[in-house]
Amino acid sequence: MSASILIPMSMFALASSLSPGPVNLVCISSAARFGVFVGLMFVTGSTLGFIALFGLIGLGLHHLITALPWFIPALQGAGFLFLLYLSYQLFKDDGEIADKHTHNAPTFWTGAIMQWVNPKAWLASLSGIATYATGSNGEDHALLLMFIVVYLPICWLSLSAWVMAGAVLGNWLSTPIRVRRLNKTLAIGLALSCLTILINVT
């Protein structure tokens, strides 16, 4: 593969992974609230969940989506409700510092599942594959594989940057009231990011 395709693929992966969205905001919250290890476990799940989604769409799931016009609206509705639920949980968190190892901490599986109901992940997959991984004469799978190889580390590193930002914030979160303020701010941002995605696709 030449740089003429690798560079655009990389830039697309970086822009879509680093730009603010529901997963990015949970990265900040999880690291600030529960530490870097929890944040990176969430990032790893999110990255692998996204790559699985990306690969399946590239292998032909987009044809099924085209054949089932109700699928995307149904997905958007389910994703919207799930993200609002996460926002609510974050908004009502009590901010107690001692509760560092609570079961409410985002997990590897939370990250993986979240990508499958994240409208941003579906839009990034569909648009990225349509633009960069659709070739001719049997080249589609080779392009898809290259895109996955490029996307995986960029996605993980981009989300990890949000975790590091959350870790820096964690040093400032020395009192429950500060934790509550951050949680409420991120909860509102999470809900708004979901609404923005839905508005952009309607």
Side-chain angles (χ1 to χ4, degrees):
M1 293 290 177
S2 66
S4 62
I5 188 65
L6 286 177
I7 292 175
M9 281 182 174
S10 300
M11 295 305 295
F12 178 90
L14 181 63
S16 60
S17 300
L18 200 56
S19 60
V23 172
N24 310 75
L25 295 178
V26 175
C27 287
I28 285 186
S29 174
S30 60
R33 184 73 171 78
F34 302 104
V36 172
F37 179 77
V38 170
L40 290 180
M41 287 299 293
F42 175 80
V43 164
T44 302
S46 297
T47 301
L48 294 179
F50 174 77
I51 292 300
L53 173 65
F54 189 86
L56 284 175
I57 290 177
L59 289 173
L61 186 58
H62 60 284
H63 294 303
L64 178 62
I65 294 170
T66 302
L68 301 174
W70 54 266
F71 181 80
I72 289 296
L75 171 77
Q76 291 169 353
F80 178 74
L81 292 176
F82 178 75
L83 294 172
L84 282 184
Y85 170 76
L86 289 180
S87 299
Y88 170 73
Q89 293 295 320
L90 192 57
F91 191 86
K92 74 181 184 70
D93 186 86
D94 60 13
E96 288 299 323
I97 306 298
D99 198 21
K100 191 89 170 180
H101 301 289
T102 178
H103 63 278
N104 290 327
T107 65
F108 174 95
W109 291 109
T110 305
I113 294 170
M114 190 173 177
Q115 290 287 30
W116 281 77
V117 295
N118 179 10
K120 179 186 172 186
W122 283 84
L123 290 173
S125 298
L126 289 167
S127 60
I129 288 167
T131 304
Y132 301 110
T134 302
S136 57
N137 300 322
E139 294 178 348
D140 293 29
H141 289 175
L143 288 169
L144 176 64
L145 179 60
M146 179 57 63
F147 209 169
I148 288 173
V149 170
V150 168
Y151 220 132
L152 194 152
I154 291 176
C155 180
W156 192 89
L157 290 171
S158 297
L159 295 180
S160 296
W162 286 83
V163 167
M164 295 304 123
V168 172
L169 280 175
N171 296 328
W172 175 76
L173 300 175
S174 57
T175 62
I177 190 171
R178 287 180 176 178
V179 176
R180 287 195 295 270
R181 287 172 179 169
L182 175 67
N183 285 345
K184 284 177 170 49
T185 300
L186 291 176
I188 293 170
L190 182 58
L192 290 176
S193 70
C194 181
L195 288 171
T196 300
I197 293 170
L198 291 179
I199 290 171
N200 287 337
V201 297
T202 56

